[in-house]
Amino acid sequence: MAASRRRGRITAVAAVIATAALTTGLTTGCDAVNKALDCVQTADAIADSVTDLQQAVENASNDPTQLDEALASIDKNLDKIGDKTDNADVNKAVDDLNKAVANVRTSIKNGDNTPNVSPVTDAAGELTKVCTS
């Protein structure tokens, strides 16, 4: 099931990239297409990290280090996307996702091994949305 969900997401991302490339390429050139592509690819990587985070929360009793690894992966990708864009909507989505990740880290630090990650999921969804619009 996870493979089909990932395949569906990759297909959707490819369609968005193709549309963005055609539309943006006609009006603003290759640099804008590359930035849009970077945004979509990074948003997709973050979505994978959020899935890993959700699984880590489910398996926290077996391996609590998975939580930190998933959060670190999200942080790394957020740094990448933040460095590559000057889009205000993308920057806001990145900031919101950073705050959600920080809240999960705080929960873990305070002893919650199964923190609520739905704000992270919501913020990642918003980032994907602004990258593909």
Side-chain angles (χ1 to χ4, degrees), residues 90-101:
V90 172
N91 285 328
K92 181 181 180 334
V94 167
D95 289 345
D96 290 347
L97 188 48
N98 272 322
K99 288 175 191 169
V101 167

Side-chain angles (χ1 to χ4, degrees), residues 45-55 70 74 97 117 120-121 124:
I46 289 170
D48 289 342
S49 297
V50 170
T51 300
D52 292 344
L53 177 62
Q54 290 168 325
Q55 291 173 348
I74 294 170
L97 188 48
V117 296
V120 174
T121 304

Side-chain angles (χ1 to χ4, degrees), residues 64-86:
T65 62
Q66 287 181 354
L67 287 169
D68 194 48
E69 290 171 8
L71 291 168
S73 177
I74 294 170
D75 286 338
K76 179 182 164 191
N77 285 311
L78 285 174
D79 288 344
K80 273 194 228 176
I81 199 169
D83 292 343
K84 292 183 178 180
T85 186
D86 55 2

